[in-house]
Amino acid sequence: MTGHDVAMIFPQQAIGSRLFPPDLAQSLNDLYREKGVEVRAGETVESVDPRGSKVVVKTRSSGHDRQREIVVDAVVAGLGIQPNVELAQAAGLDVDNGICVDAALRTSQPDIFAAGDVAEFYNPMLRSHLRVEHEDNANTMGAAAGRSMAGQLVRYDHIPSFYSDLFELGYEAVGDVDSRLETIADWKDPYREGVVYYMEEDRVRGRAAVERLGPD
Ligand SMILES: Cc1cc2nc3c(=O)[nH]c(=O)nc-3n(C[C@H](O)[C@H](O)[C@H](O)COP(=O)(O)OP(=O)(O)OC[C@H]3O[C@@H](n4cnc5c(N)ncnc54)[C@H](O)[C@@H]3O)c2cc1C
């Protein structure tokens, strides 16, 4: 930590609940608390308003009618994105959860291609339509769209992966990493080093590897 008081407010019960099985997510709450972060799980932000040089954040706990107020110097909001599809819609392209593209990354207007956070594509390995908000997919898909535009035969079947660092822990995830799936954990050191497999009908749909990061 940098010496500042930090509060982390989110509506789920634990950090990374949408990704990780409940015991791993709960251990992340403990890790953040050990590091001095005030973890306010199960709390929703209702308003953010300036007051002088400060910011007043009003929150409400899920299941309670009690409103709380916290006065802070700064707010960092991590809320996800909504794809900017207005231009595509105005051009008459098919848009669902994002701009729809085929395996060659063509939109419904074959001279127009889309890639990255904004594009929705079908992944044959995972057998589902995906729109991925991660760097690995944006880089790989962008390069593939360029090759496709230049006339190469492209079938985009890349399995998306992503990574993040949580203090001294790092994780790398590939495929469908969704805590609603059945999970099987193989820990070398519980919640610090190991692999979580995400299963459906006895098949692995995704995998998250957790490890301790090196000193650099
Ligand atoms: C705070 C933050 C942290 C992140 N951390 C990670 C991480 O740890 N790991 C990870 O894998 N990913 C992370 N990501 C996600 C990653 O940055 C994105 O997946 C990636 O940048 C998407 O690339 P993109 O080219 O699809 O879109 P963008 O990088 O959003 O690029 C789209 C570009 O299009 C431009 N544009 C939009 N509309 C128009 C228009 N009408 N005309 C012209 N230009 C237009 C925009 O200005 C922008 O420059 C993070 C993102 C954020 C915001």
Side-chain angles (χ1 to χ4, degrees):
M1 299 303 298
T2 58
H4 296 289
D5 292 334
V6 175
M8 195 170 165
I9 301 164
F10 51 92
Q12 295 84 13
Q13 289 308 311
I15 295 167
S17 286
R18 283 191 302 132
L19 302 176
F20 301 126
D23 53 350
L24 173 56
Q26 206 61 48
S27 84
L28 294 175
N29 282 6
D30 297 341
L31 173 70
Y32 273 60
R33 285 184 175 126
E34 273 167 33
K35 301 291 178 187
V37 177
E38 184 190 345
V39 175
R40 291 169 62 161
E43 223 168 301
T44 309
V45 174
E46 295 210 318
S47 64
V48 178
D49 294 300
R51 184 188 291 166
S53 62
K54 301 279 185 181
V55 184
V56 179
V57 180
K58 289 196 175 132
T59 70
R60 195 176 293 276
S61 299
S62 47
H64 298 92
D65 222 18
R66 194 161 58 96
Q67 201 180 49
R68 292 173 75 186
E69 187 180 292
I70 176 171
V71 181
V72 297
D73 295 318
V75 172
V76 177
L79 302 168
I81 64 154
Q82 279 194 321
N84 184 349
V85 293
E86 286 80 6
L87 187 63
Q89 280 168 328
L93 307 184
D94 285 354
V95 172
D96 189 11
N97 179 29
I99 302 171
C100 304
V101 292
D102 64 13
L105 307 180
R106 288 197 158 88
T107 66
S108 54
Q109 162 52 255
D111 290 336
I112 302 178
F113 295 69
D117 282 15
V118 83
E120 185 190 307
F121 60 99
Y122 182 75
N123 185 286
M125 296 281 281
L126 297 173
R127 286 176 282 164
S128 50
H129 287 90
L130 306 177
R131 191 178 61 75
V132 178
E133 296 171 13
H134 291 296
E135 181 193 336
D136 156 72
N137 180 66
N139 289 336
T140 315
M141 201 177 189
R147 287 197 302 277
S148 190
M149 292 169 88
Q152 207 179 89
L153 190 65
V154 164
R155 284 201 67 77
Y156 191 68
D157 56 5
H158 180 67
I159 303 260
S161 70
F162 61 96
Y163 59 89
S164 201
D165 296 345
L166 314 162
F167 292 104
E168 68 263 26
L169 286 187
Y171 73 84
E172 288 182 2
V174 65
D176 198 356
V177 172
D178 182 330
S179 58
R180 289 171 300 182
L181 293 169
E182 183 197 344
T183 56
I184 297 173
D186 181 11
W187 294 116
K188 218 164 154 183
D189 179 6
Y191 315 128
R192 295 294 179 265
E193 192 178 350
V195 179
V196 179
Y197 298 93
Y198 295 77
M199 311 294 295
E200 191 177 64
E201 291 170 4
D202 290 334
R203 286 167 62 101
V204 177
R205 282 189 66 85
R207 172 184 177 279
V210 179
E211 62 172 6
R212 279 199 178 82
L213 299 171
D216 55 350

